[in-house]
Amino acid sequence: RRAVTMESVLPFPLLASQRQDGVYVLSLQQHTWPAFKEGQHAQGERLRLIFNEKAAAAVADLLPELAPRAVAILQREQSLYGLELLLEVGICQAMHNRLESIGELDYLSIAATASLPQLSTPGLLVMDMDSTAITIECIDELAAAAGVGAEVAQVTERAMQGELDFEQSLRQRVAKLKGADQSIIDDLCARLPLSPGLESMIAELKSHGWRTVVASGGFTPFVGHLQQLLGLDAAFANELVISDGKLLGEVRGQVVDAAFKAHVVTKCAGQWQIAAGQRLAIGDGANDIPMVQAADFGIAYHAKPKLAAAAAAKINKLGLQALPFLLQGR
């Protein structure tokens, strides 16, 4: 495997500068592109590629096609690179198809004139928990520990695909936990697997004054654990009813469903006076669609097809550390 550096990936003339936040911005010496002259910006799209060192060689192979359209290079920590392109309408889909074939690469496609939330301006991130902030579905893990894993997992998958009403499916699955010992919750909290890049993503956002929130259709012990571990500003989830150390197969209070998640975005934005354009949401399932649509910018993370189609951007191959990179301005 050949060694790949920024210089070997981008063997064309660059101008480099360093901003106060430590982000390196490298711009092409010749970056004016005729199709995007003043007055013609609506005729194409901006495409921001995010890739790690494993994908650098594949990106380098595309340089003859990419270089004439590249307007900026961003380099950050976490060994990630970003290349921003301007594409004319005629080649957009063809370029998307080429990029989809490269492993360890994600990209954000937006209209040429559209604006992104800015990392350097305080904002709000509301994120789902199961299969987003963490790599598992907690209800499935609890069910497995209670001996009813297969039947509950099947219902979970149908709910995530948007085939079942969420509240109905939640109550149906929780009912199967009746009689299970409370210790299965404590055991799962102790080994909760965080999604790759979660901790660095939260730290990066917090360093720029962002508020971070979990809104989950899961359960309070797990979001509480994440809130304490990561220093989140708020956490919302469903409360399991427990008596004498046993689960009663019920949830108490208002169910955190799709509508509630969307409400969390607007409620928290108002509570902390988040500026317009700076509300961000990320999730993985159909139940997250109203939440990502309530935000100014919604991201699908390793998502089911319905959410992927509804979100403004997708992270399909990299970890959550790619999210701050999406927001970095030039």
Side-chain angles (χ1 to χ4, degrees), residues 87-201:
L87 303 182
E88 70 269 36
V89 173
I91 70 163
C92 289
Q93 189 56 55
M95 185 63 74
H96 290 183
N97 294 340
R98 296 289 301 276
L99 297 172
E100 288 284 356
S101 67
I102 300 178
E104 306 295 332
L105 180 148
D106 282 309
Y107 64 88
L108 164 64
S109 173
I110 59 175
T113 55
S115 60
L116 289 168
Q118 294 296 298
L119 179 62
S120 58
T121 301
L124 168 69
L125 171 66
V126 179
M127 58 182 171
D128 176 46
M129 179 179 68
D130 296 273
S131 298
T132 302
I134 61 176
T135 62
I136 60 170
E137 295 287 327
C138 286
I139 182 67
D140 292 352
E141 297 295 321
L142 293 178
V148 290
E151 48 194 300
V152 167
Q154 184 178 25
V155 177
T156 298
E157 179 62 20
R158 293 186 64 196
M160 292 294 292
Q161 295 286 357
E163 298 173 4
L164 297 176
D165 173 77
F166 179 79
E167 181 172 351
Q168 178 186 10
S169 70
L170 175 70
R171 295 189 185 279
Q172 180 182 341
R173 288 175 288 168
V174 170
K176 295 183 182 299
L177 300 178
K178 184 176 181 178
D181 196 278
Q182 181 181 355
S183 63
I184 65 174
I185 295 175
D186 301 330
D187 292 343
L188 185 55
C189 272
R191 55 183 177 85
L192 209 59
L194 305 183
S195 289
L198 173 66
E199 292 174 289
S200 62
M201 175 192 75

Side-chain angles (χ1 to χ4, degrees), residues 15-32:
L15 295 174
S17 62
Q18 184 178 12
R19 295 220 304 258
Q20 290 183 353
D21 60 5
V23 176
Y24 289 90
V25 179
L26 300 89
S27 301
L28 293 174
Q29 290 181 357
Q30 301 295 328
H31 62 267
T32 302

Side-chain angles (χ1 to χ4, degrees), residues 7-317:
E7 291 72 22
S8 65
V9 173
L10 304 165
F12 38 73
L14 297 171
L15 295 174
S17 62
Q18 184 178 12
R19 295 220 304 258
Q20 290 183 353
D21 60 5
V23 176
Y24 289 90
V25 179
L26 300 89
S27 301
L28 293 174
Q29 290 181 357
Q30 301 295 328
H31 62 267
T32 302
W33 192 45
F36 282 81
K37 287 182 179 178
E38 186 175 355
Q40 299 181 358
H41 291 283
Q43 301 304 310
E45 67 180 40
R46 289 163 54 201
L47 197 66
R48 179 165 293 181
L49 315 184
I50 304 169
F51 55 97
N52 62 19
E53 293 177 355
K54 293 180 181 179
V59 173
D61 290 338
L62 283 179
L63 277 178
E65 299 173 53
L66 302 182
R69 300 176 172 89
V71 293
I73 300 297
L74 309 165
Q75 182 178 10
R76 299 183 60 78
E77 296 179 356
Q78 307 297 324
S79 299
L80 290 180
Y81 302 113
L83 175 60
E84 186 164 292
L85 313 176
L86 297 178
L87 303 182
E88 70 269 36
V89 173
I91 70 163
C92 289
Q93 189 56 55
M95 185 63 74
H96 290 183
N97 294 340
R98 296 289 301 276
L99 297 172
E100 288 284 356
S101 67
I102 300 178
E104 306 295 332
L105 180 148
D106 282 309
Y107 64 88
L108 164 64
S109 173
I110 59 175
T113 55
S115 60
L116 289 168
Q118 294 296 298
L119 179 62
S120 58
T121 301
L124 168 69
L125 171 66
V126 179
M127 58 182 171
D128 176 46
M129 179 179 68
D130 296 273
S131 298
T132 302
I134 61 176
T135 62
I136 60 170
E137 295 287 327
C138 286
I139 182 67
D140 292 352
E141 297 295 321
L142 293 178
V148 290
E151 48 194 300
V152 167
Q154 184 178 25
V155 177
T156 298
E157 179 62 20
R158 293 186 64 196
M160 292 294 292
Q161 295 286 357
E163 298 173 4
L164 297 176
D165 173 77
F166 179 79
E167 181 172 351
Q168 178 186 10
S169 70
L170 175 70
R171 295 189 185 279
Q172 180 182 341
R173 288 175 288 168
V174 170
K176 295 183 182 299
L177 300 178
K178 184 176 181 178
D181 196 278
Q182 181 181 355
S183 63
I184 65 174
I185 295 175
D186 301 330
D187 292 343
L188 185 55
C189 272
R191 55 183 177 85
L192 209 59
L194 305 183
S195 289
L198 173 66
E199 292 174 289
S200 62
M201 175 192 75
I202 296 296
E204 179 78 0
L205 292 175
K206 288 167 68 71
S207 73
H208 291 279
W210 279 61
R211 300 281 189 165
T212 54
V213 176
V214 168
S216 172
F219 307 111
T220 51
F222 307 113
V223 299
H225 175 78
L226 284 181
Q227 183 175 12
Q228 183 177 16
L229 179 67
L230 301 171
L232 305 177
D233 293 286
F236 303 88
N238 298 297
E239 183 181 356
L240 290 167
V241 181
I242 301 172
S243 179
D244 297 326
K246 299 290 184 180
L247 278 67
L248 299 188
E250 302 172 5
V251 291
R252 177 186 291 119
Q254 183 176 1
V255 169
V256 178
D257 59 7
F260 189 99
K261 287 185 171 187
H263 176 66
V264 167
V265 175
T266 55
K267 174 186 175 182
C268 290
Q271 176 182 345
W272 294 315
Q273 299 181 323
I274 303 301
Q278 289 294 112
R279 301 175 303 172
L280 182 68
I282 184 169
D284 72 295
N287 192 51
D288 297 315
I289 291 175
M291 179 178 75
V292 302
Q293 292 180 333
D296 298 309
F297 196 81
I299 297 177
Y301 179 70
H302 295 219
K304 302 295 188 292
K306 287 187 177 180
L307 177 62
K314 300 182 287 290
I315 298 175
N316 289 332
K317 300 174 182 179

